Amino acid sequence: MSADVREIPLSTTGERQAVVGNVGAVPGQDWVIVTRGITRDYDMGGEVVRALRGVDLAVRRNEYVAIMGPSGSGKSTLMNLVGCLDTPTSGEYWLNGSLVSDMKDDALARVRNREIGFVFQTFNLLPRATALHNVELPLVYAGVGSAERKKRAVEALERVQLADRMDHRPNELSGGQRQRVAIARALVNRPAILLADEPTGNLDSGTSEEIMRVFEELADAGQTVIMVTHESDIAAHARRIVVLRDGRISSDERREKFVQKLET
Amino acid sequence: MPLVEAIRLALAQIRVQKLKSFFTLLGVTIGVMFLIAVVSIVQGMSNYVTTAVAGKFLGVNTATLRKFPNFQTGNVTDAQWHLWMRRPPITIADAYAVRDALPAGAGWAIDDEKWVNAESKYTNGGPQLLAHATTPQLFKIKSLVVTQGRVFNEEEEQLGLPVAVIGVETQQYYFPGVDPIGREIKVGGLPFRVIGILEKQGTLFGQPLDRVIYAPFNSPMQRFTGARINLAGVIVQAPSPAAMTDVQETVTELMRQRHKLHPAQDNDFVVETSASALSAWDKIRGYLVGAGIFLPAIGLVVGGIVIMNIMLVAVAERTREIGIRKSLGARRRDVMAQFLAEATTLSILGAAFGIGLGFGLSKLLSSAFNLPSGVAPWSIVVALGLGGGVGIAAGIYPASRASRLDPIVALRAE
């Protein structure tokens, strides 16, 4: 079966069951992300909080997916798992053909370095480093030599139209520019997925639109983008919207349908 | 992360926080400064003693055949002393036998000495002089040069002429205001004609080296030094440092034969070298260096604790940075390397300042108290090594804490 995941019938019964969203998805090949029943429990002083209760998610290469949900729905937990900052309590997570759910610290660090480009709400740039140096950082940890590093960092900054600001420090840049530096940093290692966590959360609406245009261009150019947000108008920029509720996927639909529902 | 990268990062971090970094490395700087200062002073004294003893007192590459040691470390027991006194004397025949047994190129001289009374027409008495009845080669072996006149020669030695070479103090006491050359000085009532004045030697271990009078061994001086009872010393000089052991063995073997010692018996004489003379100093130097290392070590420990604290603060302050780096792919060892490099760079920098200040301090002390000072290259290596070691020791705990941070928690930190 090679059904497009977007065509898989979703549970619409309203029952809170795990949505089988990955039927037929084969890890690797053109499926960049495949999770199978991943759960994540937190031990909060003896009380177990079940943040994720079995999520099956599959994302193809070149998809532009938004993960939505109210606070407490588990979207941050899912984003940490997808970003390999955390490992699931149970279930499998395949990223770009490798099973990362069993990996240890250093292996995960390597995966983050090679396969994932993070874009954070608060930008998370090193304040004392120039834009260029910030963009070079992932390459430092990839062991790239300094000449090659600079060349690739400049290229990445050019992609976000910031080549002329590469010697500026974050505090000399506007919010939108900072986020574009962060995007350049996320792209510099040519990751399998760009993982954005509330990328417009700290930006005004005009700048938010600007950043959304950058994401769209990247998606058009073939970059897989996964964006976590709680704002539906931001999520509506993505081509597929996955909604989480109480630790499970409650809906998974194409933009058209999502926008339709928004309007009604 | 490559080491170069970690060090570059560390230097950048230190530059950003100059004042804080300065206070952080102060402890190490002070520790290393005192270490270097003490070692330099000890080294200076050591150089002084070595050149003074080896060059002036004993001569270079020389060994001296004596009845018993002239230099001892520690106290000599009465029993030991009695044993030494019962040894057979070193005879004049022994001295010439030694000369004939030496390989070509080796130097040889008889140097018999004793404190004697002297007199001259130009003064009413004076202090005792250390009289040497010696063969002329002695001047060459000991690098003794005259500032006025000349030393006596082989011919004067063979004829046993009563000529004398005197030290500057002898001149001051016995020829005040007159040129001694060609004038007479009496030892034991016998006149000696002064033919040369030696260059000033100064003192060694408080012994005046200039209150001396040298006369040919065959001259009547040998009566006053008691050469026929026992020769104070027969000096041999090896042609090169490498030949020293050979020459020593030649002399030792010859004397054992002459004293008819069988293999089980110990030597009943000594062949003393500057090395044996310096062993006393080496012992003292050991204590001084020990103290010179122990006291600064306390400073280094304190310095290390300061660095550890500052690094712990740095890890807390930069938790978010650590989170960012981890999210971008820094492994535990990368974070560890970063903080270890920072602690170590700080500490080595502190040590480098300490080395500079230490040499300054030793120069200051040596000029203020008229002590010799010298640079011991090993002390620089040790200081840098200690600096690095302190940095690593102080950095390990903070760095490992940083490396174990959970990236999710670290990213949320403010």
Side-chain angles (χ1 to χ4, degrees):
Chain A
M1 269 168 66
S2 62
D4 188 323
V5 71
R6 278 168 280 182
E7 305 307 326
I8 290 170
L10 302 170
S11 166
T12 49
T13 56
E15 290 170 31
R16 293 199 171 152
Q17 303 166 336
V19 176
V20 182
N22 62 359
V23 176
V26 182
Q29 298 179 16
D30 59 337
W31 296 93
V32 114
I33 290 175
V34 178
T35 73
R36 288 185 178 141
I38 53 171
T39 67
R40 183 67 171 94
D41 299 340
Y42 292 106
D43 190 358
M44 303 293 241
E47 195 190 343
V48 176
V49 176
R50 300 176 63 194
L52 288 183
R53 302 169 181 234
V55 172
D56 298 317
L57 177 70
V59 177
R60 278 171 184 268
R61 214 172 288 284
N62 304 352
E63 273 196 289
Y64 181 3
V65 185
I67 295 173
M68 275 201 73
S71 59
S73 61
K75 65 180 192 303
S76 289
T77 304
L78 183 59
M79 128 105 200
N80 287 339
L81 288 172
V82 169
C84 294
L85 291 166
D86 197 4
T87 47
T89 308
S90 69
E92 283 178 9
Y93 171 27
W94 296 79
L95 174 64
N96 210 15
S98 352
L99 183 62
V100 296
S101 43
D102 291 345
M103 285 185 180
K104 296 274 174 270
D105 259 27
D106 281 358
L108 285 174
R110 184 139 289 231
V111 171
R112 289 198 293 271
N113 185 244
R114 299 278 155 91
E115 310 284 12
I116 297 164
F118 284 102
V119 175
F120 298 97
Q121 177 176 5
T122 51
F123 321 129
N124 277 343
L125 299 174
L126 295 187
R128 290 200 205 91
T130 61
L132 181 69
H133 186 75
N134 266 294
V135 176
E136 276 184 42
L137 264 183
L139 299 173
V140 170
Y141 294 115
V144 177
S146 66
E148 170 73 5
R149 218 154 65 199
K150 179 158 188 205
K151 185 174 143 263
R152 279 165 65 178
V154 171
E155 277 169 18
L157 281 165
E158 276 165 358
R159 257 183 108 174
V160 295
Q161 278 101 47
L162 274 179
D164 55 331
R165 295 291 161 92
M166 63 186 184
D167 293 326
H168 292 237
R169 288 171 204 278
N171 61 7
E172 298 162 340
L173 298 171
S174 71
Q177 287 171 333
R178 286 183 214 182
Q179 196 57 301
R180 281 193 281 151
V181 171
I183 294 170
R185 180 178 69 184
L187 293 174
V188 74
N189 238 353
R190 299 177 194 123
I193 57 171
L194 182 72
L195 188 56
D197 181 17
E198 305 276 7
T200 59
N202 275 20
L203 300 173
D204 60 52
S205 56
T207 317
S208 296
E209 284 304 317
E210 175 194 319
I211 295 298
M212 283 303 104
R213 269 199 303 279
V214 174
F215 276 32
E216 238 146 283
E217 281 163 23
L218 292 173
D220 287 343
Q223 175 70 51
T224 311
V225 180
I226 297 170
M227 174 170 71
V228 175
T229 181
H230 67 276
E231 294 172 77
S232 33
D233 53 331
I234 290 296
H237 286 87
R239 288 159 201 173
R240 172 184 166 196
I241 291 94
V242 175
V243 179
L244 284 184
R245 198 170 289 275
D246 299 330
R248 289 191 178 93
I249 291 176
S250 72
S251 79
D252 184 348
E253 40 199 18
R254 278 178 292 175
R255 167 165 48 189
E256 297 72 28
K257 208 166 168 191
F258 178 77
V259 173
Q260 231 172 42
K261 275 204 321 202
L262 271 187
E263 282 162 359
T264 54
Chain B
M1 183 159 52
L3 188 65
V4 187
E5 211 62 52
I7 291 170
R8 191 182 304 166
L9 206 61
L11 287 174
Q13 197 65 37
I14 290 165
R15 256 200 307 280
V16 169
Q17 305 178 312
K18 287 190 193 72
L19 192 67
K20 189 164 136 191
S21 303
F22 169 72
F23 283 116
T24 307
L25 46 80
L26 203 57
V28 175
T29 300
I30 290 175
V32 167
M33 178 178 83
F34 282 114
L35 173 77
I36 293 284
V38 170
V39 169
S40 302
I41 298 265
V42 171
Q43 178 72 17
M45 288 167 77
S46 182
N47 288 347
Y48 166 75
V49 170
T50 308
T51 52
V53 170
K56 282 187 196 170
F57 212 67
L58 292 167
V60 182
N61 291 342
T62 63
T64 308
L65 169 65
R66 294 183 196 282
K67 186 171 165 184
F68 53 84
N70 198 16
F71 292 95
Q72 301 99 34
T73 58
N75 292 321
V76 177
T77 60
D78 280 353
Q80 179 70 68
W81 186 252
H82 284 299
L83 277 176
W84 282 350
M85 295 318 284
R86 283 218 303 273
R87 284 178 170 185
I90 307 295
T91 65
I92 298 172
D94 288 336
Y96 287 107
V98 165
R99 180 187 66 181
D100 297 340
L102 285 175
W108 168 90
I110 297 175
D111 185 14
D112 194 31
E113 58 181 29
K114 195 171 190 181
W115 286 96
V116 297
N117 293 313
E119 52 188 305
S120 82
K121 283 193 269 193
Y122 314 100
T123 183
N124 289 324
Q128 281 202 320
L129 300 179
L130 186 60
H132 290 259
T134 177
T135 54
Q137 297 92 331
L138 183 83
F139 297 104
K140 201 175 141 238
I141 292 173
K142 287 209 175 179
S143 316
L144 293 171
V145 291
V146 291
T147 50
Q148 248 180 290
R150 58 179 181 87
V151 298
F152 47 84
N153 57 33
E154 203 58 47
E155 204 183 339
E156 285 161 322
E157 155 66 12
Q158 264 155 29
L159 295 171
L161 295 181
V163 290
V165 175
I166 60 172
V168 289
E169 277 191 53
T170 309
Q171 174 191 8
Q172 281 161 18
Y173 285 117
Y174 290 96
F175 299 96
V178 291
D179 180 6
I181 301 290
R183 294 200 156 87
E184 282 181 355
I185 180 167
K186 282 184 176 170
V187 175
L190 286 180
F192 288 82
R193 188 165 52 88
V194 176
I195 57 168
I197 298 165
L198 290 171
E199 194 178 63
K200 188 173 169 57
Q201 303 289 303
T203 59
L204 182 72
F205 300 137
Q207 256 199 67
L209 298 179
D210 295 310
R211 209 178 292 174
V212 288
I213 177 166
Y214 288 84
F217 181 68
N218 279 332
S219 73
M221 190 62 91
Q222 65 163 256
R223 278 161 50 193
F224 307 120
T225 57
R228 293 195 181 274
I229 301 163
N230 175 51
L231 287 180
V234 177
I235 301 175
V236 294
Q237 183 175 40
S240 68
M244 265 304 276
T245 18
D246 256 11
V247 166
Q248 271 175 270
E249 272 169 23
T250 306
V251 175
T252 308
E253 266 322 298
L254 178 78
M255 287 309 294
R256 287 185 68 89
Q257 279 172 27
R258 291 179 69 83
H259 287 177
K260 300 193 170 57
L261 297 176
H262 50 79
Q265 281 178 297
D266 288 334
N267 292 343
D268 56 0
F269 55 91
V270 291
V271 180
E272 227 176 20
T273 61
S274 50
S276 49
L278 287 175
S279 68
W281 163 248
D282 279 345
K283 211 165 167 184
I284 298 169
R285 189 176 66 166
Y287 293 131
L288 286 176
V289 169
I293 286 173
F294 176 72
L295 297 176
I298 297 171
L300 287 176
V301 168
V302 173
I305 292 169
V306 170
I307 289 178
M308 189 189 304
N309 270 300
I310 294 293
M311 291 312 295
L312 282 172
V313 171
V315 170
E317 278 175 355
R318 284 152 63 193
T319 302
R320 192 185 186 105
E321 176 193 323
I322 296 162
I324 295 171
R325 288 179 183 277
K326 284 201 152 188
S327 76
L328 299 179
R331 290 161 298 176
R332 280 187 178 186
R333 75 187 84 145
D334 295 319
V335 176
M336 184 100 186
Q338 182 187 338
F339 283 90
L340 259 188
E342 203 169 312
T344 309
T345 308
L346 261 177
S347 184
I348 288 182
L349 209 64
F353 285 140
I355 290 169
L357 289 173
F359 284 131
L361 183 68
S362 71
K363 282 271 171 295
L364 206 72
L365 286 176
S366 68
S367 62
F369 300 104
N370 201 20
L371 287 167
S373 81
V375 175
W378 65 264
S379 68
I380 298 176
V381 177
V382 166
L384 287 177
L386 278 176
V390 165
I392 290 171
I396 276 184
Y397 175 61
S400 95
R401 256 174 81 151
S403 76
R404 282 201 307 266
L405 283 173
D406 177 350
I408 298 170
V409 176
L411 276 170
R412 249 187 259 128
E414 199 25 77

